[in-house]
Structures are given as structure tokens and as C-alpha cells.
Amino acid sequence: MLLVLLAMVACTSNEKAPQATEPVQEKPAQVVDNSPRSLPLLYATDTCKIGQNYYVWELERKACDSLGVVADDMGDKYYDNTIKIVVKKNASTLFARTFKKSDFRHMLDKDFFKNSILDGCRFMKIHEGMVSFSMAVSYPESDMTCPFLLIIGPDGSYSIEHDTTVEDEDVPSV
């Protein structure tokens, strides 16, 4: 019986023995990345033949840190973009221009202009020598957008107007 009692005392004393503890490590403070975001670089090109004419078009959207920064409702910041469009007709440059959001200023209200970026562009069609592109100025990464049509004439002149057509989902966008 004495042995059982000694074994119990030995077991209980082991349970209460102090255990080594590791020093508490503080978690590093989370770093908030407040740097502006850039939409991805996009590039698209295609060719087509209309009658006796060959057309080649190129689109390139890229972020431009010199155009300023726009903040969304959550405080996330975005660089504005430029969109370069080049249209060649029979190997000669018909049209080449780099667009900025300021090219649409006169068609946007002041608040929308301040809080938006030049977001996208896509080729639409060539009809009777007129080359059309759809362009958009939008709040960053949202569906709040103002669509425009860029119409390039056979002589290389162009006009920009609000796009009031229904969007065609089968046309690839850039």
C-alpha cells in the first residue's frame, strides 16, 4: 500500500512540475499597401479585308502614373490609363492616336470625370470606310461606366460620341 501511495504522490508531483515556456512573440503589424493599383496592360490586334482594302488595327491600354490617381469609395487608389489606337489601311497609317480621359472631359459631368479612369476599348466594325471602336470611361473595377463611340473616317479624321447602342456580348473587348 505504501508503494501505491508513493506512486500516486510521484505522479501528481510530475503533473504539477513547472513546464518550460517559449517567449511570447509579437505579431508584426499588418502593412497596408496604399500604393495605387494599375489595371493590367492590354494589347489586341486584328486584320480584315473589306472590298479591295486591307485593314490592320491595334489597341493598347496601359497605366500611366503621370495622369494622376483616382480613389474609389473604399479608398483604393488607381492609376489612370492611356489607350493607343493605330489603324492601317493598305499598309499606310490611316489613324494613330493615344487617348486620355481628358479627351472625354466635355462629355462627362465633373464628379464622374474626377472619380473615373479611361478603362477600355474594343474594335466594333468597319462599314463604308468608317472604322468604329467602343471606348469606356468608368469608375475603377466597377460597372459604373460611360460608353463612347470613336468613329474614324476614310480620311483619318475622327469623332467621339456617346454610345447609345445595346452592348453586343459576342464582340471581344480589350
Side-chain angles (χ1 to χ4, degrees):
M1 185 117 156
L2 186 57
L3 285 173
V4 171
L5 184 59
L6 284 174
M8 287 177 54
V9 170
C11 288
T12 57
S13 65
N14 282 342
E15 289 177 10
K16 294 180 183 178
Q19 297 179 348
T21 59
E22 294 183 25
V24 176
Q25 294 181 357
E26 292 184 26
K27 293 182 180 179
Q30 284 188 331
V31 177
V32 177
D33 184 8
N34 242 3
S35 60
R37 298 178 186 182
S38 297
L39 295 184
L41 172 71
L42 294 175
Y43 179 81
T45 186
D46 203 355
T47 61
C48 62
K49 182 179 180 189
I50 308 290
Q52 298 300 315
N53 297 308
Y54 286 94
Y55 291 88
V56 177
W57 58 264
E58 298 176 44
L59 301 174
E60 180 183 57
R61 177 189 74 190
K62 63 181 176 180
C64 185
D65 60 359
S66 67
L67 292 178
V69 174
V70 171
D72 67 11
D73 292 340
M74 302 298 289
D76 295 326
K77 297 174 186 172
Y78 295 84
Y79 287 118
D80 204 346
N81 302 299
T82 60
I83 295 178
K84 181 179 179 181
I85 300 175
V86 177
V87 178
K88 294 183 180 182
K89 178 180 174 184
N90 299 325
S92 295
T93 301
L94 173 67
F95 180 84
R97 180 171 171 131
T98 300
F99 289 91
K100 299 180 239 175
K101 179 178 66 173
S102 60
D103 293 311
F104 304 88
R105 177 187 295 266
H106 64 285
M107 294 188 269
L108 298 168
D109 73 35
K110 195 177 202 177
D111 187 55
F112 197 87
F113 181 82
K114 178 183 172 191
N115 295 300
S116 62
I117 59 174
L118 183 56
D119 190 7
C121 184
R122 67 181 183 183
F123 171 77
M124 297 297 288
K125 65 182 176 181
I126 300 173
H127 181 70
E128 296 180 0
M130 308 288 269
V131 183
S132 300
F133 291 88
S134 175
M135 301 182 80
V137 176
S138 306
Y139 282 13
E141 296 189 34
S142 94
D143 60 356
M144 295 292 295
T145 186
C146 191
F148 296 96
L149 283 176
L150 168 67
I151 302 167
I152 302 166
D155 61 351
S157 62
Y158 74 95
S159 64
I160 300 172
E161 57 190 53
H162 283 282
D163 184 357
T164 57
T165 61
V166 177
E167 196 172 308
D168 181 1
E169 294 296 325
D170 294 332
V171 178
S173 62
V174 173

